[in-house]
Amino acid sequence: MTPGFPYSTTRPLFGQVAIVTGASRGIGRSIAISLARAGAYVVVNYRQSKAAADDVVAQIHQMGSRAIAVQADVTEPADVDSLVAAAAELGVPRILVNNAGIGSSQLLMDTTLEEWESLMKSNLTAPFLCAKAVLPHMVRAEYGRIINISSIWGLSGGSFEVAYSASKGGLIAFTKALAKEVARSGITVNAVAPGAIETDMLWNLSPEEKRELAEETPVGRLGHPDDVAHAVLFLASPSASYVTGQVISPNGGLVT
Ligand code: NDP
């Protein structure tokens, strides 16, 4: 399927509108900047970190690309509709990266129903709402790239992270099923399942625990948000049109 917009090998995403949820910090920030470097116009979504989101937008403007910061809680249907409507300022959305998510670390026996439901809402319902909101635009354009940020725990299951693992495993099943449903419309749907990446999400690990985790990882270090962004960039590119329903796992060899 030809993309139907100007194509450049140096900026393969030139002029394509990308919505990145949770792009104010961490992995989402790196994804937004990487997509913009490849020429995309980026909708930088955030929930509360306005100053950080504005900073991402400023960086993208400095690169000579376009971006807007849009506040929206992606667990709320009305907010998701406003987010997708706001993207129209840049054009028709061609790329959606469902990155926003929350973590949790505790025994299943100590997990309350409220905590379980909150994880499912952020990590599984939000991608459903965002995909549903952008799909009509992508189907009309007969082109789209949806990339869901899962986790290695969604592949292998993590002790003390049962609820988180279930939400991220669900996201992988969502990815595979939706990929089949929309493939004939020129839309690919893939997941990226990172290992331990140095962001605020690792706040509960002590420096010693981080050192141990880095040593346990075959490549000998924790991941950088850019390690995830590189995988997203590949899946977002027009040339990845034969890759769909797949999971790419930048994890330093921790899970094989
Ligand atoms: P961070 O906690 O560093 O950043 C989370 C981002 O998500 C922030 O931009 C935050 O916005 C946003 N966000 C959270 N909830 C919502 C919401 N309801 N609506 C809109 N935005 C929201 O997390 P990471 O960068 O580490 O994680 C990004 C993704 O990668 C997550 O899905 C996570 O599960 C996944 N992941 C992370 C790993 C890691 O080791 N770090 C490993 C595997 C997967 P705001 O700043 O406004 O609060």
Side-chain angles (χ1 to χ4, degrees):
M1 183 69 57
T2 49
F5 32 75
Y7 185 77
S8 137
T9 47
T10 48
R11 297 212 289 167
L13 302 182
F14 181 76
Q16 290 191 43
V17 177
I19 298 175
V20 183
T21 69
S24 51
R25 296 184 281 122
I27 293 170
R29 177 191 171 91
S30 279
I31 292 171
I33 291 170
S34 293
L35 294 178
R37 200 173 286 126
Y41 298 166
V42 185
V43 178
V44 176
N45 161 248
Y46 67 99
R47 184 178 44 181
Q48 50 198 16
S49 307
K50 181 177 182 339
D54 286 342
D55 183 64
V56 176
V57 168
Q59 272 205 39
I60 292 175
H61 288 166
Q62 274 172 13
M63 288 172 194
S65 196
R66 299 180 65 196
I68 52 171
V70 180
Q71 194 283 330
D73 178 342
V74 289
T75 66
E76 294 295 332
D79 279 25
V80 170
D81 288 344
S82 316
L83 171 66
V84 175
E89 188 183 327
L90 299 177
V92 177
R94 307 263 187 179
I95 300 165
L96 167 67
V97 185
N98 281 313
N99 164 77
I102 57 171
S104 147
S105 181
Q106 61 190 338
L107 286 171
L108 182 75
M109 283 188 296
D110 296 333
T111 304
T112 64
L113 177 61
E114 287 71 29
E115 287 160 344
W116 172 274
E117 287 179 342
S118 163
L119 274 163
M120 295 303 157
K121 235 175 140 183
S122 296
N123 296 349
L124 193 51
T125 306
F128 154 71
L129 292 172
C130 293
K132 199 172 166 195
V134 298
L135 272 171
H137 300 285
M138 293 180 173
V139 168
R140 247 192 316 276
E142 294 188 8
Y143 182 87
R145 297 281 182 265
I146 296 177
I147 298 142
N148 298 316
I149 307 302
S150 176
S151 160
I152 46 167
W153 301 139
L155 289 167
S156 69
S159 159
F160 289 93
E161 309 217 29
V162 176
Y164 181 76
S165 302
S167 68
K168 293 298 189 179
L171 187 57
I172 289 174
F174 172 85
T175 300
K176 289 173 184 272
L178 183 60
K180 290 178 180 161
E181 197 165 294
V182 298
R184 294 294 172 103
S185 298
I187 301 164
T188 65
V189 188
N190 291 288
V192 174
I197 310 293
E198 277 271 30
T199 70
D200 296 342
M201 199 170 266
L202 299 192
W203 65 271
N204 56 333
L205 298 184
S206 67
E208 185 48 35
E209 285 170 321
K210 283 189 188 177
R211 248 193 315 279
E212 280 170 17
L213 191 52
E215 268 168 33
E216 234 178 87
T217 304
V219 303
R221 64 171 175 88
L222 296 183
H224 185 276
D226 284 349
D227 293 316
V228 183
H230 293 147
V232 171
L233 194 57
F234 163 67
L235 293 170
S237 74
S239 50
S241 62
Y242 206 55
V243 181
T244 195
Q246 305 303 310
V247 185
I248 295 183
S249 186
N251 65 46
L254 199 58
V255 171
T256 55

